[in-house]
Amino acid sequence: MVNDRSANEVLPYVPARSGGLVLTGADAPARCRAIRNAYPGTVVVMDHESHTRRTGTADTPFGLKTVHGWRDLDLAGLDEILDGQRDNRASCAVTPTCFIPAEEAEGAPVLAAVIAQANQLRRDDTVVLLPCSWRWLRRSALLLLAGQIRACRHPVALIMQADGDPLERDQAAEGLRQLCRSCPRLMLWRTDLAAFDAMGHGALGAAVGVAAVLRHGVAPRPGNGGGGHKPHPVVLVRRLLRYHRVATLQDWFAHVAPWTCDCAVCKGAALTRFTDREADVIAALQHSVCELYALHEELDVTLTGDERIGWWRQQLADAWEYHRLLASRTGTDIPFPKVLQSWRRPSPMALPGVEEQQGQQRSGPS
Ligand SMILES: [Zn+2]
């Protein structure tokens, strides 16, 4: 998931077979058209980010910011926007869904309206975007969310919103696992390494944000532009299964030889080398994309179910060892992140009343 301004920088590192781009930003339609014209085999779709600007209502769950201001969308308007995405050569259409607040904040009628209206669309080229508060992952709301996702005629892309990492919230990591096990056509968008935990538990695919702001949903604000990356370099440290600021790595490795990386961008160079210069910030971005797809390549050759979860568990066990190793080598306190802790717990079963998904396809492009 990338802002249209950075799309060309990451594109060369996106594998055509298993990868793709979800574009955000004002020029996403033009960028989508240009990329798809040049690379017809690459999957490119758009998220208009209506959820970062408006909270949905039961009457108008879909809407769009246009050059003339905000536009509420009825069913005909929604169809027109989805057609517009396809006219700009998007691989499939994505609903411009507004933010869905928590159940206790009157979110249930909004969620129901999104699914009911989407089910009236006479098209088979559409992904329904569900940008939800993280609170939907709690036990009290999860069955309702799963029921709505399963009632949807289209594949669903879930975005979890929170201030900070949604999966650090109470019950959220377990809830997401149950949801992925219980809903056959679910994807996780605007996320981070949670993509792998979700796909391990049956999600069809995921879209990982290249910038921190694109790695979880944000509360709607009229001024939200969304998607711009900050000028300091951030890298995915694959051994730690975590994004870190390069400044943090420089602190850790101040007195010992830094970790190096063998990806196509780094070619054996140190992860601490990136400066605040624009070229370095871009190179750090490209490194992270390479490492993400390297990890995905490993996931992709596993069979869904136990083998895939076993592979993911091994990654987490290795990450735990690397945290310990790094702490002892550098003499620094490097805590094992809360989210990684929660992923090391045993996997929950599918939701009651829902048959576990069996024999799913291998994770598809997204
Ligand atoms: Zn690298």
Side-chain angles (χ1 to χ4, degrees), residues 261 263 266 271 287 291:
C261 173
C263 82
C266 300
L271 284 179
H287 149 84
E291 288 291 82

Side-chain angles (χ1 to χ4, degrees), residues 109-137:
V110 183
L111 174 63
V114 170
I115 303 298
Q117 292 196 23
N119 279 353
Q120 289 179 51
L121 292 169
R122 299 196 177 281
R123 49 196 311 148
D124 58 4
D125 64 348
T126 300
V127 168
V128 174
L129 190 61
L130 286 189
C132 292
S133 160
W134 70 270
R135 290 183 172 83
W136 279 99
L137 292 177

Side-chain angles (χ1 to χ4, degrees), residues 26-58:
D27 290 328
R31 187 77 64 186
C32 176
R33 197 169 60 239
I35 294 173
R36 290 273 293 164
N37 280 334
Y39 306 96
T42 297
V43 172
V44 187
V45 300
M46 286 174 247
D47 174 6
H48 292 306
E49 291 194 297
S50 303
H51 50 95
T52 68
R53 301 189 180 91
R54 287 283 173 106
T55 298
T57 67

Side-chain angles (χ1 to χ4, degrees), residues 236 260-267 269 271 273-274 283 286-288 290-291:
L236 173 58
T260 58
C261 173
D262 292 325
C263 82
V265 177
C266 300
K267 298 189 175 85
L271 284 179
R273 74 187 187 281
F274 304 101
Q286 293 169 329
H287 149 84
S288 297
C290 282
E291 288 291 82

